[in-house]
Amino acid sequence: MRSKIVAGNWKMNKNLAETKALIADLVAKLPETNAEVMVAPTFVNLTNAVDGVKSSKIEVLAQNMHFAESGAYTGEISADMLINIGINTVILGHSERRAYFGETDDILAKKVKTALDKNLRVMFCFGEELEDRKSGNHFSLVESQLKNALFSLPESAWSNIVLAYEPVWAIGTGETASPEQAQEMHAFIRKTIADAYNAEVADNVSILYGGSVKPANAKEIFSKEDVDGGLIGGAALAADDFVAIINGI
Ligand code: PGA
């Protein structure tokens, strides 16, 4: 059985005091839910966030990591460093990493492999640009992103992978994929995984939708059969909005 997940990607927002305050607010307001609830603050505040969620079921994620074990990679963070401070899951492949920091499918394949070898769970993000959708190329683009970064992995690796489909044109734009567009793509993703592996792997992987999910649209998007939750950016920065989105699952 795949799990339902609501994850907040805080990106480069919230200083230390704000991180502590938002974590405390979330812990206090967290509703009863069967869904996994996760938040991803910036690296420098991860330790404080991990401390802050201790009495709750909230999990703290990292937004990125390097593929190397250690060494001369100024400014980078390794898998072991994350594990050492109590992180179990890392977001990889976010479209902002791809667009602004040159992360290619090849780099992401290396990062995914390192994370899984270290027993970190991977939340793998992918999705098409607006031009891909306009030209009808979105299915093949998404298929190639999955294939290039993930399909060389052994079947056993998939129990530690969560997918987040995030159409780039819907991220931070206020424009959301319609629930039907999300469902159509999620069903395609599941079929692509079933073809590459088998139906069991495809059925067991959680596929989150991301891109302008808000309290007002979360419930309808989450109601779709193949949508197992959401990766939330802007609306995860206010406890009441994030809680309202959790209530939509
Ligand atoms: P958004 O961001 O909810 O602000 O569109 C989603 C994401 O980038 O994960």
Side-chain angles (χ1 to χ4, degrees), residues 9 11 94 96 166 170-173 210-214 231-235:
N9 175 11
K11 308 189 181 183
H94 192 280
E96 288 148 18
E166 300 200 298
I171 294 179
T173 58
S212 297
V213 176
K214 308 270 180 261
L231 180 55
I232 323 298

Side-chain angles (χ1 to χ4, degrees), residues 16 34 63 75 87 120 127 130 150 155 166 173 175 183 190 192 198 201 239 248:
L16 177 58
N34 291 329
Q63 297 177 16
I87 299 294
L120 282 168
L130 186 57
L150 302 181
E155 184 180 329
E166 300 200 298
T173 58
E175 193 176 336
Q183 170 56 29
R190 225 178 277 288
T192 303
N198 56 56
V201 171

Side-chain angles (χ1 to χ4, degrees), residues 1-5 34 36 121 204 206-208 228-229:
M1 255 286 279
R2 56 186 187 252
S3 38
K4 302 266 186 200
I5 299 171
N34 291 329
E36 293 183 53
R121 181 149 72 145
N204 285 336
S206 298
I207 309 176
L208 315 185
D228 304 309

Side-chain angles (χ1 to χ4, degrees), residues 7 23-24 26 56 75 86 122 127-128 141 159 174-175 189-190 193 197 200 206 213 216 222 239 248:
I23 292 279
L26 286 174
S56 79
V122 170
E128 81 281 3
L141 192 276
S159 57
E175 193 176 336
I189 292 163
R190 225 178 277 288
I193 296 166
Y197 290 86
E200 201 187 339
S206 298
V213 176
F222 295 164

